[in-house]
Amino acid sequence: MSNEVRQLIDEIGSEMERLHAALERRADELLTTGGDPETATKLAKGADAMRDSGNLYLTWARHYAALSEGTAGAADEEDEADFSP
């Protein structure tokens, strides 16, 4: 993968990690400050859904980046993006 594309994919991954963490913090904050527990639960589930979706999109981004360089086989061997805490 070209350095520019790899850097952009890495940046997206980092931002997705930050988004997931921020949404989880907000859900925790709602619970600790007496906010609506149902909203906090939905927010936490949404954070997980965003993380999982981000994993999928980053995997595809790596695949297409490798394909553009003629190394699609290498992309198939790369690990899936992982935002797990």
Side-chain angles (χ1 to χ4, degrees):
M1 241 180 288
S2 76
N3 285 338
E4 178 186 11
V5 171
R6 184 178 301 277
Q7 180 180 353
L8 289 169
I9 292 171
D10 289 346
E11 288 174 18
I12 292 167
S14 294
E15 293 303 314
M16 290 300 298
E17 287 177 24
R18 290 181 59 211
L19 174 61
H20 181 258
L23 290 172
E24 282 194 327
R25 279 192 306 274
R26 181 62 182 137
D28 289 342
E29 182 182 294
L30 284 172
L31 288 175
T32 59
T33 61
D36 180 28
E38 185 177 338
T39 300
T41 300
K42 286 180 183 179
L43 189 55
K45 286 181 181 181
D48 289 344
M50 292 297 299
R51 180 196 59 218
D52 295 344
S53 295
N55 286 339
L56 178 66
Y57 284 109
L58 287 174
T59 298
W60 279 107
R62 287 188 184 107
H63 170 76
Y64 286 117
L67 185 67
S68 74
E69 295 178 339
T71 58
D76 293 338
E77 296 173 10
E78 284 192 35
D79 289 338
E80 191 175 293
D82 185 14
F83 302 134
S84 301

